[in-house]
């Protein structure tokens, strides 16, 4: 029996009664999907699944997909994409510094991921949180004039190398900002001296995608803002300055601090989120503190 406890009023829930070591039957799978569509972000604590158990659980939500750059995928299970700041002999064991801007996942492909899962394999003592925004609520907060302006319009999404922004938080302590700037300089020096990374090789080679600014959820039918703060480069039919100003305003208003659900990870957490109804960002993890996440994604539909 799955029990849901809200993480915040109307947004996010912890699910009890779920054990990834057990097979997921059809009734449980339906309950899990309903919980996700309702709460948009779900958490299951205290899990230590094998890769096969993790895959079997995620498959209850739909067909899985490998990350389109294979360099960061587990060799034995290529659907699992490794996010990590850990370095061995100077080389990152997974994708380092990714996702540190407000976004929905893989908006730069024709069929963006519908659901994302993260399993916390190693968690820092401080930092490394994930922030979430309910983009259905963000759309509903817009005034009628703004809704009329964006409904039916499409933003231009372009895949670019955005690895070392290092935090999507709006207001950071001066000490943390200085540390981020120091690391950015260090990573830039490393990039100049090393062969191009896998992400650098793919940057700006994928075709631009036109995605609705306000998309309709394929299951619930609700409208939501569909944003990617660093991969959006304009709005179709608008001048670049006007389009970018509108996109920046929408993201800034949507991500006001009072609307953020901050997620502080614990070892063994599994978190899943609905990419058609949320945006998220990673926050800063100090390089001396290990953070390792195993990611899975479910194939999505063409946004409309």
């Amino acid at each position: 029996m799955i029990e849901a406890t809200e993480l915040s009023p109307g947004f996010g829930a912890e699910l009890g009664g779920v054990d990834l070591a057990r097979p997921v039957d059809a009734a449980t799978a339906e309950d899990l999907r309903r919980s996700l569509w309702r709460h948009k972000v779900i958490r299951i604590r205290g899990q230590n699944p094998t890769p096969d158990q993790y895959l079997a659980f995620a498959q209850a939500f739909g067909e899985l997909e490998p990350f389109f750059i294979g360099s960061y995928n587990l060799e034995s299970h290529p659907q699992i994409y490794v996010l990590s700041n850990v370095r061995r002999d100077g080389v990152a064991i997974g994708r380092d510094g990714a996702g540190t801007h407000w976004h929905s996942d893989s908006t730069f492909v024709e069929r963006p991921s519908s659901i994302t899962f993260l399993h916390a394999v190693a968690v820092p003592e401080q930092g490394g949180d994930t922030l979430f925004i309910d983009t259905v609520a963000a759309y509903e907060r817009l005034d009628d004039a703004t809704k009329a302006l964006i409904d039916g319009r499409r933003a231009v999404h372009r895949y670019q190398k955005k690895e070392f922004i290092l935090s999507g938080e709006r207001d950071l302590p001066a000490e943390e900002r200085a540390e981020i700037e120091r690391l950015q300089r260090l990573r830039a020096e490393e990039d100049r001296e090393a062969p191009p990374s896998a992400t650098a090789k793919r940057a700006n080679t994928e075709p631009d995608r036109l995605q609705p600014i306000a998309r309709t959820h394929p299951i619930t039918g609700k409208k939501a803002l569909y944003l990617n703060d660093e991969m959006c480069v304009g709005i179709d039919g608008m001048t670049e300055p006007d389009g970018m100003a509108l996109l920046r305003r929408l993201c800034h208003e949507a991500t006001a601090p009072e609307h953020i659900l901050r997620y502080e990870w614990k070892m063994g957490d599994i978190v899943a989120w609905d990419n058609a109804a949320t945006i998220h960002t990673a926050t800063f993890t100090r390089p001396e503190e290990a953070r390792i996440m195993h990611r899975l994604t479910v194939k999505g539909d063409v946004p409309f």
Side-chain angles (χ1 to χ4, degrees):
M1 188 71 177
I2 296 176
E3 297 178 356
T5 302
E6 287 191 338
L7 299 177
S8 70
F11 183 37
E14 179 173 342
L15 302 187
V18 182
D19 182 356
L20 271 68
R22 298 198 304 262
V24 179
D25 59 31
T28 302
E30 181 62 26
D31 283 348
L32 288 167
R33 290 191 293 269
R34 278 200 300 262
S35 294
L36 182 60
W37 306 143
R38 177 181 177 184
H39 299 288
K40 304 179 182 71
V41 178
I42 56 174
R43 163 176 91 192
I44 304 166
R45 302 216 111 145
Q47 304 296 312
N48 187 31
T50 66
D52 286 334
Q53 288 169 338
Y54 187 27
L55 290 172
F57 170 75
Q59 284 167 341
F61 293 80
E63 183 182 355
L64 301 183
E65 58 186 3
F67 187 61
F68 78 113
I69 300 177
S71 305
Y72 306 107
N73 300 343
L74 280 185
E75 188 173 342
S76 60
H77 296 77
Q79 299 97 327
I80 298 176
Y81 166 44
V82 181
L83 300 170
S84 180
N85 67 334
V86 175
R87 293 179 168 235
R88 292 178 185 152
D89 299 323
V91 178
I93 67 169
R95 180 87 180 274
D96 186 12
T100 48
H101 58 277
W102 286 107
H103 66 288
S104 178
D105 284 326
S106 64
T107 64
F108 45 83
V109 301
E110 183 181 16
R111 296 165 62 95
S113 305
S114 64
I115 305 167
T116 300
F117 304 82
L118 282 188
H119 175 219
V121 178
V123 175
E125 290 187 11
Q126 59 179 347
D129 299 342
T130 303
L131 312 182
F132 293 97
I133 288 291
D134 178 343
T135 50
V136 174
Y139 176 81
E140 292 172 350
R141 286 193 298 269
L142 296 175
D143 60 78
D144 290 342
T146 301
K147 289 178 181 177
L149 178 61
I150 66 174
D151 284 349
R153 286 192 179 272
R154 298 187 295 173
V156 182
H157 293 244
R158 180 177 300 159
Y159 180 71
Q160 302 174 81
K161 180 177 179 288
K162 298 289 183 182
E163 290 179 288
F164 298 113
I165 302 168
L166 299 179
S167 182
E169 290 197 80
R170 185 179 300 181
D171 298 313
L172 291 172
E175 180 183 357
E176 189 166 300
R177 174 62 64 192
E179 176 64 4
I180 287 173
E181 291 172 355
R182 183 191 70 79
L183 280 173
Q184 288 172 334
R185 291 192 295 270
L186 175 62
R187 298 293 181 247
E189 291 172 6
E190 293 172 346
D191 278 356
R192 283 193 292 270
E193 296 174 1
S197 69
T199 50
K201 290 177 182 177
R202 293 295 288 265
N204 300 310
T205 63
E206 300 296 312
D208 287 353
R209 301 290 178 185
L210 294 177
Q211 306 286 18
I213 301 171
R215 70 174 292 182
T216 302
H217 196 284
I219 304 298
T220 68
K222 294 182 178 180
K223 278 196 172 182
L225 287 178
Y226 195 50
L227 303 171
N228 192 323
D229 197 36
E230 291 294 332
M231 301 295 180
C232 284
V233 296
I235 295 176
D236 189 37
M238 295 182 71
T239 66
E240 182 178 340
D242 287 347
M244 289 306 300
L246 177 55
L247 290 170
R248 296 294 188 218
R249 175 170 76 83
L250 291 171
C251 194
H252 186 79
E253 291 177 359
T255 60
E258 63 267 25
H259 303 309
I260 290 173
L261 171 64
R262 175 179 287 270
Y263 191 78
E264 299 179 2
W265 292 88
K266 294 186 181 297
M267 286 279 292
D269 281 357
I270 298 232
V271 173
W273 60 85
D274 179 355
N275 280 299
T278 65
I279 54 174
H280 63 283
T281 181
T283 60
F284 183 54
T285 305
R286 295 184 180 278
E288 65 271 16
E289 298 228 28
R291 186 179 191 268
I292 304 174
M293 300 282 169
H294 284 179
R295 193 182 94 154
L296 289 170
T297 53
V298 170
K299 287 184 178 179
D301 300 317
V302 177
F304 64 95

